[in-house]
Amino acid sequence: MPSATNKRSRAALDDEEGDDGETVIRASSDLKNGSLRKKVRTSNTDPSNKSAWTPREESNASSDEDEVMQEPEESAAPAATQYEILRDAGFRHLENTDLDDQRATQRLKNRPHMLGENQVALNAIIETITCYNFMCHTRLRVELGPLLNFIVGENGSGKSAILTAVTLCLGGKASATNRGGSLRSFVKEGEEHASLVVQIKNQGSDAYKPDLYGESIIVERHFSKHGSSGFKLKSASNRIISTKKGDVDDIVEYYCLQVDNPLNVLSQDNARQFLNAATPVSKYKYFVQGTQLEQLDQDYQLLQETLENNETKLLVFQENISELKQQSEKAVKLRDALTKSAEMRRQSKVYSNQLAWAQVMEQETVLQQKEDAILAAQEDISRMEATITEKTGFLETIDDKVREAEEAVNLLQQEEGHFKEQEEEAKSNCNNARASIEKTHTEERDIHQRLTNASLKVKDYEKKIREEEQRLEDVNGGALAEKQKELEDAKHAIEGIRASQKTHAERNSSLTNERNEAQKKQQDSEEVVSKKRQEVSAAEARLRTLSQNRSDPFAGFEQRVPQLLRLIESDDGFMQKPIGPIGAHIQLTKPQWSSILEKTLGQTLNAFLVSSRHDSVRLLSHMDRLGIRNCPTFIGSTTLINNLKEPDEKFDTILRVLKIDNPRVRDQLVITQQIEQTILIEDRFEAERVMFDGQPPQNVAACLSFHDQKRGHGLRLTSRGGNIGTSPITPNYDQKSRMKSDDVESQVAFFKDSLEQLRAELRAVDLSTRTLQQATQRCTQAINQHKRQEANLEKELRNAQARVTHIEEELDKFEGVDNKLQGYKNDLQEAQIQKDHYGNQFGELAMQKQEMNKEAEKLHEILKKAKVAFQDHRAKMTKAEDKVKRFKETRRVALVEKNQAYESLDLTKAGKADAERSMRRQAEVVADYIQQASAVAPERAYIPEGETVRSIERKFESIKDQLKKIRGRLGASDEEIQNRASQAIQEYRDAKKSHKNLTSLVDELKKALMDRLRKWRTFQRLISAHARCNFNYLLSERGFRGELFLDHQTKKLRVQVEPDETRKSSSGRNTKTLSGGEKSFSSICLLLAIWDAMGSPLRCLDEFDVFMDNVNRAISTNMLITTARRSVGKQFILITPNAIEGRAKIDKDVKIIRLTDPRQRLLADH
């Protein structure tokens, strides 16, 4: 929204403007305070430089019926002043009046003649007028239309009070109304106070401070019979904004209401005087006042007076500058003479200052030496405390190692009895086995002898049976032998079946074992498949998590870790802010080691690092409140580790593949995880070669490598004192990555490759599982087949046994033929049984002996192993005892060094205390010297290099002697001479500067005055031509002829009118010869012509038709309405005692307001 202070400003009239059109220029003085300006309307026609303006020649001829009346001549005008000569410029701008009138006439012709084109202005319109106890009104409220308002009422109805109220309420003077000399005269009889309220429309883009006042501005003025008066400015919401008259004047001037302009608000008396009794001089005065020419002229005249005063000051300035220049030159010469001796005094002062501060410097040097000694002692103390801390830590480590070594020795000693018992037990078992073997060997020889005797007896009985059977065969013809042969075959068949059953039974055990083995392998394979599936799922989840949580550095930690960090940040109770979690401060440069290092570093990555026990307890309390359980705390030293024992640069270590943003985090990992001595080798065989072939590399504690068969898994290889070890590292795929990666895309690609490898391994083990399932099914089928074969053998055995029974029944029929054969057979059977018994015993003894020999060999091997184990245990004990001795010796040496460090620390602290006491004494000496030196020179003096107290003192004494000789040559003191010179020079410079500024101001004022006078002449020329032509145009509305003579030289305005249009030869008559109606009509035309040249949005006229007949009244009224409609956006307030309806063309833009008796309320028809 544009600023309210810039609303009414228009472009100034330029010298090179065109001949046609109109423009609005600023017509108020720039000498007034405030940024708001009034406006007047002028033509933009260029000034002409032709002949000077002269009044038109009047014809001396007159008709027989008319008489030309001559006006009395007025006194001659006084001589023109220098300003008026400069302003009027010989009136050359008024020489070509015919051309000016021609152009003005052309503009009038081009003006639209159609009615109804008027528009309501958005602001500067008076909406309502309210009077309380004013003149004859107790309360009067008038709501005005935005365009044309006729206030109609009988004489004495209080019509003129409305214009008077507008003038007074908007800041006009009481004398300007011609209705009273002061405000108290306007208070109604019988009342003490009166008030006026005017509401002004304030809308549109050029409203006056709309954010403060709103859409309406309410101006209220109250006064009393006692002479008090005041204003109130209110907003549309009736809120008081200001009570200053200056603010009211700003609003009136901003909207260019011009209530003091006698032609803008033409009161009843002024209207009567202007329309009837005005002389050419008074009419000219009305003209220049109404068009603001007089106000502008007065402003420019004030500017000319200011310019003349400044030019007078310039002459005085010139004389003063010459005198000041002589005084300054004289003072400078005296100062130059003083400068020579002043230089020596300054040098004396410098030496004096240097002498005072040189003594301070000597004492400060001693103080600095003492402070350096204290700093050196403090450094020694810090170094010794660090040594004590180091030795204390080393002792604690050695104590732990001694304790661990002694515990190892105690454990070995406890285990020694066990190994001894094992050796004795093995030796006893071995001896018992030898004795059992010897006893069994003796029994074997005895049984062997008995078996031999039984075999001989069986052979003897068999021989006798054969002989008897042969004898019986000879007797029976061979039938018995045949049956016996069948019986033998049947028995052999049974033995064969039983042998097959035995073999079959042996096969049953192997088949069952094969099936169990196959089932076990299948189960193991299924477990591997399940684990592999879990690994694939975990890898997929880890890959998803890594892709989703790239921007979340705490995704791998407990959920409330970010909340814990915010608590730590806001908690000022820590001695030193905890650092953590450790994993958040680590960046992994090689993502292929991610899973292995996550597992190796373990809970350390979740840990927080604190510097004291107090901070640890405070941090744990925060963790307990948040329910955090898996974040351990480490209390670490703030002293950084400077020298790290690292392996060769060709090896990657855990430390080298990590980027750690905090040195304390690095030191903690060095202490707890040995990250600087744990190397990384991807190939397992290369790692085993490095660690196990000979001695491991220097400064290498362990080696991590990838598993050669299980992708993603790792191995930890160690070699200490000849003991080598390999332990697996199984990654936890459920654990999200806690260490950041400098290349997240590479880490994602690595995990994708790992996932594909795991999927390939899953497919391989799944295929192997299916193969094992098929093998298990085959084993089950073989067992089922074996069971069917066993059932068939049982059936065959039953059939064979039935056959034997049948044959024996048939042989029983032959019994009784000869009992001798049967006796032999019975004896043979007993002998055979005895033989079988001894044979079985001999076989069992042989088998027993064989088993005993095997058992003896096993026990012998056990004995050998027990002896070796006992020897190895003794070697371990010896080594452990030697280790304890070495650690104890190391501890003893460290303890001695620690004690020595404590002794040195005490001595150094005592020396520091002495140095501090000495330093404080010296500081007091320095402070005393500084106080004395500051009394001489408040600021420390610079001491040139190489100068001493003695050398400066010699120079100071020498220059003092020289100054004694120079004193007395000058009459005044040094300060007085310097002040005089400075004052004279400054006065001369100020005078020259003021002269220059005043000269510049005079030049600018001259330039501004000439420019404004040029525009004033243009405005005077254009508005004069416009008034002349518009006056003729308005007269023609009734068929009159006439002419308006504007003589700016003599300051007269004369009007000649010819009512009879048929009298072409007559130049017109003086207005005094006209009838009352003709005179009033002519005056109305003159007033409208001047109004058309004015820029105010408000036009007021009281009793304009008082002396007119009905014809002139109707014509004048319609002329006023037509003119008002052509004046777009202007508000007219016209007062008449006569009716309007019958003599005017009424439309919706005309509002008629009737006033009746003042005691009655206002009734409005429209």
Side-chain angles (χ1 to χ4, degrees):
M1 178 179 292
S3 173
T5 58
N6 297 326
K7 174 197 170 190
R8 298 296 176 182
S9 178
R10 297 292 186 267
L13 186 66
D14 296 331
D15 288 340
E16 303 299 328
E17 290 175 338
D19 294 337
D20 298 327
E22 293 183 353
T23 185
V24 177
I25 67 171
R26 296 165 66 127
S28 64
S29 171
D30 284 345
L31 301 177
K32 294 184 178 180
N33 294 329
S35 60
L36 307 180
R37 301 297 180 220
K38 300 178 183 178
K39 63 180 182 180
V40 297
R41 184 178 299 276
T42 71
S43 171
N44 60 356
T45 308
D46 290 339
S48 175
N49 295 323
K50 296 183 179 180
S51 61
W53 180 87
T54 57
R56 300 183 185 181
E57 297 181 357
E58 301 182 12
S59 174
N60 295 324
S62 61
S63 63
D64 296 338
E65 297 82 8
D66 297 328
E67 180 182 354
V68 178
M69 298 182 64
Q70 301 293 330
E71 296 180 1
E73 294 185 1
E74 299 182 11
S75 60
T81 63
Q82 183 178 359
Y83 164 74
E84 291 175 342
I85 295 172
L86 182 66
R87 178 197 65 192
D88 297 332
F91 294 98
R92 289 188 297 274
H93 59 290
L94 300 176
E95 292 176 351
N96 199 355
T97 56
D98 293 337
L99 180 59
D100 293 341
D101 292 348
Q102 181 180 355
R103 290 175 177 174
T105 304
Q106 186 66 33
R107 286 194 295 272
L108 288 175
K109 290 181 178 180
N110 293 334
R111 186 171 60 182
H113 295 278
M114 295 180 63
L115 301 180
E117 295 182 355
N118 201 358
Q119 296 180 0
V120 177
L122 295 177
N123 48 51
I125 296 299
I126 296 178
E127 295 177 325
T128 62
I129 303 170
T130 307
C131 306
Y132 298 96
N133 300 327
F134 182 71
M135 296 179 69
C136 62
H137 298 284
T138 302
R139 180 184 181 277
L140 174 64
R141 176 179 173 84
V142 179
E143 295 184 0
L144 298 178
L147 298 173
L148 187 58
N149 297 271
F150 283 97
I151 300 176
V152 181
E154 298 178 356
N155 292 331
S157 61
K159 303 185 298 300
S160 301
I162 296 175
L163 295 187
T164 305
V166 171
T167 302
L168 295 179
C169 189
L170 296 182
K173 298 178 181 178
S175 59
T177 64
N178 293 327
R179 305 303 293 267
S182 62
L183 287 175
R184 68 182 68 182
S185 63
F186 292 101
V187 180
K188 185 180 179 182
E189 288 293 333
E191 301 294 337
E192 294 294 328
H193 301 278
S195 62
L196 304 173
V197 181
V198 173
Q199 182 172 328
I200 303 173
K201 190 176 183 180
N202 188 47
Q203 301 176 11
S205 60
D206 57 348
Y208 183 81
K209 299 180 180 179
D211 54 341
L212 183 62
Y213 289 95
E215 295 185 351
S216 297
I217 299 175
I218 299 174
V219 182
E220 180 178 333
R221 186 172 189 180
H222 52 86
F223 46 91
S224 67
K225 283 192 173 182
H226 301 289
S228 61
S229 174
F231 288 88
K232 288 184 182 179
L233 274 176
K234 298 182 179 180
S235 64
S237 60
N238 212 31
R239 181 170 61 91
I240 297 177
I241 304 300
S242 176
T243 57
K244 298 178 180 179
K245 182 179 183 300
D247 293 334
V248 177
D249 294 339
D250 289 342
I251 295 174
V252 171
E253 185 175 0
Y254 177 77
Y255 282 129
C256 201
L257 296 178
Q258 301 180 16
V259 293
D260 284 334
N261 191 334
L263 289 186
N264 196 46
V265 180
L266 206 61
S267 63
Q268 187 174 3
D269 296 335
N270 285 337
R272 186 178 297 110
Q273 183 179 1
F274 177 77
L275 296 177
N276 299 286
T279 65
V281 175
S282 61
K283 287 182 179 179
Y284 181 84
K285 186 175 182 181
Y286 276 119
F287 175 80
V288 295
Q289 288 179 349
T291 57
Q292 297 290 296
L293 283 171
E294 184 180 59
Q295 181 64 41
L296 289 173
D297 180 52
Q298 292 174 359
D299 292 341
Y300 298 157
Q301 190 169 359
L302 178 61
L303 179 60
Q304 173 66 16
E305 293 174 359
T306 303
L307 181 62
E308 291 174 354
N309 292 334
N310 287 332
E311 288 179 339
T312 303
K313 290 181 182 179
L314 282 177
L315 297 176
V316 177
F317 264 124
Q318 191 64 37
E319 298 175 357
N320 293 339
I321 288 174
S322 300
E323 183 179 353
L324 290 174
K325 183 177 181 182
Q326 295 176 358
Q327 293 178 359
S328 64
E329 289 176 351
K330 182 178 179 181
V332 167
K333 289 181 181 179
L334 185 61
R335 186 189 62 184
D336 292 339
L338 177 66
T339 303
K340 297 179 181 179
S341 62
E343 184 65 29
M344 295 182 67
R345 285 193 296 273
R346 284 195 296 270
Q347 189 64 38
S348 173
K349 182 63 176 178
V350 169
Y351 287 151
S352 175
N353 296 342
Q354 288 180 351
L355 181 61
W357 286 103
Q359 299 177 54
V360 173
M361 182 180 291
E362 285 185 351
Q363 298 300 321
E364 286 179 340
T365 302
V366 176
L367 178 61
Q368 185 62 43
Q369 293 173 354
K370 295 183 181 297
E371 290 177 350
D372 293 341
I374 293 174
L375 292 176
Q378 183 60 43
E379 291 178 357
D380 292 340
I381 290 173
S382 299
R383 185 171 60 256
M384 291 175 185
E385 288 176 346
T387 302
I388 290 172
T389 302
E390 180 183 359
K391 296 301 180 182
T392 301
F394 183 70
L395 273 175
E396 292 176 355
T397 303
I398 292 297
D399 287 339
D400 293 339
K401 291 182 178 180
V402 170
R403 184 170 58 256
E404 291 174 359
E406 288 178 346
E407 289 176 355
V409 170
N410 293 334
L411 181 60
L412 291 174
Q413 288 175 352
Q414 294 173 5
E415 294 176 350
E416 183 179 11
H418 174 67
F419 283 104
K420 186 65 177 176
E421 290 176 359
Q422 287 182 344
E423 182 182 7
E424 293 296 334
E425 183 180 357
K427 186 175 181 181
S428 175
N429 291 336
C430 188
N431 293 335
N432 292 335
R434 287 197 188 95
S436 298
I437 291 173
E438 291 177 358
K439 181 179 179 182
T440 302
H441 187 64
T442 302
E443 291 177 355
E444 183 184 17
R445 286 197 303 268
D446 186 32
I447 294 299
H448 184 269
Q449 184 62 41
R450 293 179 183 179
L451 178 60
T452 301
N453 295 334
S455 297
L456 292 176
K457 187 183 287 187
V458 167
K459 288 179 180 180
D460 183 48
Y461 284 122
E462 287 177 349
K463 182 180 179 182
K464 289 179 179 181
I465 289 172
R466 282 194 302 273
E467 291 175 352
E468 185 62 24
E469 287 177 348
Q470 184 64 39
R471 186 182 67 79
L472 293 174
E473 181 71 24
D474 293 339
V475 176
N476 295 324
L480 180 61
E482 184 176 354
K483 289 296 182 181
Q484 290 177 347
K485 179 69 169 60
E486 290 179 4
L487 180 61
E488 291 294 332
D489 291 339
K491 290 182 177 179
H492 284 306
I494 290 173
E495 291 178 358
I497 291 171
R498 286 178 174 171
S500 298
Q501 284 182 333
K502 182 178 180 181
T503 304
H504 194 73
E506 294 175 355
R507 176 64 177 160
N508 184 35
S509 176
S510 63
L511 288 176
T512 303
N513 292 335
E514 289 178 0
R515 185 191 63 182
N516 294 337
E517 184 68 24
Q519 290 178 344
K520 185 177 183 305
K521 290 182 179 179
Q522 179 185 345
Q523 184 178 0
D524 294 342
S525 181
E526 288 176 350
E527 292 178 357
V528 172
V529 170
S530 178
K531 291 182 179 178
K532 192 61 68 177
R533 289 186 190 278
Q534 292 177 359
E535 291 179 1
V536 170
S537 299
E540 290 174 346
R542 186 170 187 175
L543 182 59
R544 287 195 302 271
T545 302
L546 181 62
S547 301
Q548 295 172 358
N549 299 326
R550 294 184 182 183
S551 60
D552 186 4
F554 303 106
F557 302 96
E558 287 195 48
Q559 185 176 2
R560 295 193 175 183
V561 165
Q563 188 175 353
L564 174 62
L565 293 176
R566 290 192 292 271
L567 280 177
I568 293 173
E569 184 65 25
S570 61
D571 189 354
D572 296 331
F574 289 102
M575 299 177 65
Q576 188 171 355
K577 294 289 185 182
I579 301 172
I582 288 178
H585 295 272
I586 299 175
Q587 188 175 8
L588 181 61
T589 60
K590 293 188 177 182
Q592 62 267 30
W593 292 99
S594 176
S595 57
I596 295 176
L597 294 183
E598 288 275 353
K599 181 68 174 180
T600 300
L601 299 179
Q603 289 294 324
T604 303
L605 296 178
N606 296 335
F608 281 78
L609 187 61
V610 297
S611 59
S612 65
R613 179 66 179 172
H614 170 268
D615 289 351
S616 176
V617 172
R618 194 173 189 87
L619 178 59
L620 289 174
S621 66
H622 287 320
M623 291 182 180
D624 291 339
R625 286 198 302 273
L626 295 176
I628 297 176
R629 298 289 182 268
N630 296 323
C631 292
T633 58
F634 296 127
I635 301 176
S637 174
T638 57
T639 303
L640 301 180
I641 301 175
N642 296 324
N643 297 321
L644 297 178
K645 296 181 180 180
E646 298 187 68
D648 193 278
E649 291 292 337
K650 67 181 181 180
F651 295 112
D652 274 343
T653 64
I654 297 178
L655 177 60
R656 290 171 183 169
V657 299
L658 300 180
K659 289 183 179 179
I660 303 174
D661 59 10
N662 192 300
R664 291 184 60 194
V665 172
R666 182 206 64 178
D667 293 350
Q668 185 63 33
L669 292 175
V670 166
I671 294 171
T672 58
Q673 300 292 335
Q674 291 184 305
I675 60 173
E676 87 285 9
Q677 294 185 353
T678 302
I679 63 175
L680 305 176
I681 300 177
E682 296 185 2
D683 185 68
R684 173 180 181 175
F685 301 105
E686 177 64 20
E688 290 178 344
R689 184 190 65 78
V690 172
M691 295 298 294
F692 299 157
D693 292 352
Q695 292 293 328
Q698 187 178 5
N699 296 330
V700 174
C703 174
L704 302 182
S705 70
F706 293 148
H707 200 287
D708 55 337
Q709 296 179 354
K710 298 181 180 179
R711 182 175 179 84
H713 291 240
L715 298 170
R716 181 181 179 88
L717 289 71
T718 57
S719 177
R720 296 179 180 177
N723 296 326
I724 60 177
T726 302
S727 56
I729 300 175
T730 303
N732 182 8
Y733 289 107
D734 294 333
Q735 174 65 54
K736 299 177 183 178
S737 296
R738 293 166 290 179
M739 293 184 291
K740 298 175 290 185
S741 175
D742 59 349
D743 188 358
V744 179
E745 296 300 331
S746 299
Q747 190 175 14
V748 171
F750 173 75
F751 282 119
K752 285 182 178 179
D753 294 341
S754 300
L755 178 59
E756 291 300 326
Q757 181 65 27
L758 287 173
R759 288 172 176 170
E761 293 176 0
L762 175 60
R763 291 192 292 270
V765 295
D766 195 16
L767 179 61
S768 176
T769 301
R770 290 196 295 270
T771 302
L772 292 175
Q773 288 175 350
Q774 295 173 359
T776 302
Q777 292 175 358
R778 288 195 296 272
C779 290
T780 303
Q781 292 173 359
I783 290 175
N784 294 334
Q785 181 67 25
H786 184 73
K787 288 181 179 180
R788 289 194 294 270
Q789 291 176 357
E790 183 178 3
N792 291 333
L793 289 175
E794 286 290 339
K795 184 177 180 182
E796 289 177 0
L797 178 61
R798 288 194 300 270
N799 293 333
Q801 288 176 345
R803 181 175 175 76
V804 169
T805 302
H806 177 71
I807 294 173
E808 286 180 346
E809 290 177 352
E810 290 182 352
L811 283 176
D812 288 343
K813 297 178 180 180
F814 292 99
E815 290 182 1
V817 178
D818 192 354
N819 292 329
K820 186 177 179 181
L821 178 60
Q822 187 63 38
Y824 286 152
K825 287 184 177 181
N826 292 335
D827 293 338
L828 175 61
Q829 187 175 3
E830 291 178 0
Q832 186 64 41
I833 291 172
Q834 189 175 15
K835 177 185 176 183
D836 291 339
H837 174 70
Y838 290 136
N840 289 334
Q841 285 186 344
F842 184 78
E844 290 176 357
L845 285 175
M847 291 296 295
Q848 185 178 0
K849 182 179 178 182
Q850 186 177 0
E851 292 295 331
M852 292 177 67
N853 286 331
K854 291 181 180 179
E855 184 66 21
E857 291 178 358
K858 290 181 180 179
L859 292 174
H860 186 66
E861 289 296 327
I862 291 173
L863 177 60
K864 289 173 62 178
K865 290 181 180 179
K867 289 182 178 180
V868 172
F870 182 71
Q871 292 175 357
D872 291 343
H873 184 73
R874 290 298 305 170
K876 289 181 180 180
M877 280 189 59
T878 303
K879 187 175 180 180
E881 290 172 351
D882 292 340
K883 188 175 182 180
V884 170
K885 291 179 181 179
R886 291 197 305 272
F887 284 152
K888 286 184 176 181
E889 180 61 23
T890 303
R891 184 184 184 284
R892 186 189 65 79
V893 174
L895 183 60
V896 171
E897 293 176 351
K898 178 181 177 182
N899 293 334
Q900 291 177 351
Y902 268 112
E903 293 177 0
S904 300
L905 178 62
D906 293 339
L907 292 175
T908 305
K909 286 183 177 180
K912 180 186 174 184
D914 294 338
E916 288 176 343
R917 286 191 294 271
S918 178
M919 185 269 292
R920 286 193 290 270
R921 290 193 298 271
Q922 183 63 29
E924 294 175 357
V925 174
V926 170
D928 182 52
Y929 272 74
I930 291 176
Q931 183 178 4
Q932 297 179 20
S934 299
V936 177
E939 295 184 0
R940 180 180 289 268
Y942 170 73
I943 309 301
E945 187 176 357
E947 294 288 349
T948 63
V949 175
R950 297 289 171 256
S951 62
I952 295 174
E953 189 176 9
R954 287 194 295 271
K955 293 179 180 180
F956 177 65
E957 293 296 334
S958 175
I959 203 168
K960 274 179 62 177
D961 295 338
Q962 296 178 23
L963 285 173
K964 288 180 181 179
K965 300 176 181 178
I966 298 175
R967 288 177 183 172
R969 296 180 183 178
L970 300 174
S973 64
D974 297 348
E975 185 177 359
E976 291 175 350
I977 294 173
Q978 292 288 350
N979 291 339
R980 291 173 186 173
S982 299
Q983 183 178 359
I985 293 172
Q986 187 62 37
E987 289 177 353
Y988 175 62
R989 291 176 179 173
D990 293 342
K992 287 203 302 182
K993 183 177 180 181
S994 299
H995 182 268
K996 181 179 179 182
N997 293 338
L998 187 58
T999 302
S1000 176
L1001 176 61
V1002 168
D1003 293 340
E1004 292 296 329
L1005 287 176
K1006 285 181 179 179
K1007 181 178 178 182
L1009 180 61
M1010 297 305 295
D1011 183 63
R1012 290 172 185 269
L1013 290 177
R1014 179 183 62 79
K1015 292 183 178 181
W1016 185 88
R1017 290 192 293 272
T1018 301
F1019 178 51
Q1020 184 189 49
R1021 175 175 62 85
L1022 296 179
I1023 203 169
S1024 300
H1026 185 80
R1028 288 194 299 269
C1029 295
N1030 201 20
F1031 177 70
N1032 291 333
Y1033 173 77
L1034 293 172
L1035 287 176
S1036 67
E1037 292 290 330
R1038 194 182 170 190
F1040 284 17
R1041 289 186 298 107
E1043 195 166 4
L1044 180 67
F1045 296 97
L1046 277 168
D1047 189 350
H1048 293 288
Q1049 289 181 322
T1050 60
K1051 296 181 174 56
K1052 295 180 181 180
L1053 187 152
R1054 292 186 293 109
V1055 177
Q1056 289 186 351
V1057 179
E1058 176 55 57
D1060 188 0
E1061 189 178 8
T1062 61
R1063 300 181 64 180
K1064 301 295 183 180
S1065 61
S1066 176
S1067 61
R1069 302 189 329 217
N1070 191 289
T1071 56
K1072 293 183 178 181
T1073 66
L1074 300 176
S1075 65
E1078 292 172 345
K1079 185 184 298 182
S1080 297
F1081 175 75
S1082 301
S1083 300
I1084 289 294
C1085 293
L1086 176 60
L1087 177 63
L1088 292 178
I1090 298 174
W1091 270 2
D1092 195 41
M1094 292 167 54
S1096 175
L1098 177 67
R1099 281 83 186 277
C1100 303
L1101 180 59
D1102 190 2
E1103 295 193 1
F1104 62 92
D1105 56 350
V1106 64
F1107 297 112
M1108 297 183 184
D1109 55 19
N1110 290 333
V1111 175
N1112 288 321
R1113 183 177 295 115
I1115 294 173
S1116 299
T1117 302
N1118 287 324
M1119 185 185 303
L1120 284 171
I1121 294 175
T1122 303
T1123 304
R1125 287 173 177 168
R1126 287 172 177 163
S1127 301
V1128 178
K1130 302 296 189 295
Q1131 185 182 31
F1132 287 79
I1133 302 175
L1134 305 176
I1135 299 176
T1136 176
N1138 302 302
I1140 296 297
E1141 290 80 353
R1143 55 188 173 96
K1145 300 176 181 179
I1146 306 302
D1147 203 347
K1148 60 182 179 180
D1149 58 344
V1150 177
K1151 183 172 183 178
I1152 300 175
I1153 303 170
R1154 291 189 180 89
L1155 294 183
T1156 57
D1157 190 277
R1159 290 171 294 181
Q1160 298 179 4
R1161 299 187 61 179
L1162 175 67
L1163 298 176
D1165 293 341
H1166 298 281

